[in-house]
Amino acid sequence: LPYLASHFDSSETIRDPIDQCMLHYFSKICDQFPSAVTLHDFQLSASRRPKILVQTAGHVSGAVKFYKPDTFAELSDKKFYPVCHHPVWGGWMALRGVAIFPGVTADLARPEPVSCLSDSEAVDMLTLYNEC
């Protein structure tokens, strides 16, 4: 709400406030680090494919567990979308983008994402997400 209050007046039509807010705050990264590249979950390449798969990036970073329907036999015949699950916030969070710093290297451990759901809970989560 602070972003909306400071950037829009009541006569202005707000098209997509979340995306506009993300663009605004991610631009501050580039202001501080001019070589940085920011990519958002809503940006598409010329071939209409996502520029970044943020759920996959979240899983690889160890921040969330990425549950894919084809991992579970009982969902193999379903056309379900995958779902990320955070060990603290569950599914009530969003991965919206990444910042890439060219030339910066780090020797970081690649932690395995925390899997705090049983298989039946993961199947339930995927089903509820896709059918409700």
Side-chain angles (χ1 to χ4, degrees):
L1 291 176
Y3 172 78
L4 292 176
S6 66
H7 287 82
F8 300 100
D9 64 37
S10 59
S11 66
E12 201 172 347
T13 302
I14 301 170
R15 189 173 151 260
D16 194 330
I18 293 173
D19 289 352
Q20 289 173 317
C21 179
M22 293 301 302
L23 288 166
H24 171 77
Y25 284 106
F26 270 53
S27 73
K28 292 183 174 292
I29 295 170
C30 294
D31 291 345
Q32 291 293 312
F33 304 95
S35 65
V37 177
T38 58
L39 300 172
H40 304 273
D41 64 336
F42 54 84
Q43 290 178 311
L44 302 176
S45 68
S47 63
R48 308 284 304 151
R49 308 281 287 165
K51 286 187 174 184
I52 184 75
L53 299 172
V54 290
Q55 290 188 342
T56 303
H59 180 85
V60 170
S61 74
V64 295
K65 174 74 174 171
F66 188 55
Y67 290 94
K68 297 185 291 185
D70 60 5
T71 306
F72 305 99
E74 57 266 61
L75 299 177
S76 62
D77 62 332
K78 305 278 188 177
K79 297 277 187 194
F80 279 0
Y81 291 105
V83 178
C84 280
H85 186 268
H86 188 276
V88 175
W89 299 301
W92 288 98
M93 52 81 199
L95 303 167
R96 298 302 314 262
V98 298
I100 300 168
F101 299 90
V104 174
T105 59
D107 186 19
L108 301 174
R110 288 199 175 181
E112 278 297 311
V114 175
S115 181
C116 54
L117 299 179
S118 67
D119 283 358
S120 66
E121 290 171 325
V123 168
D124 287 345
M125 177 183 66
L126 286 160
T127 302
L128 287 169
Y129 178 79
N130 283 279
E131 291 184 346
C132 290

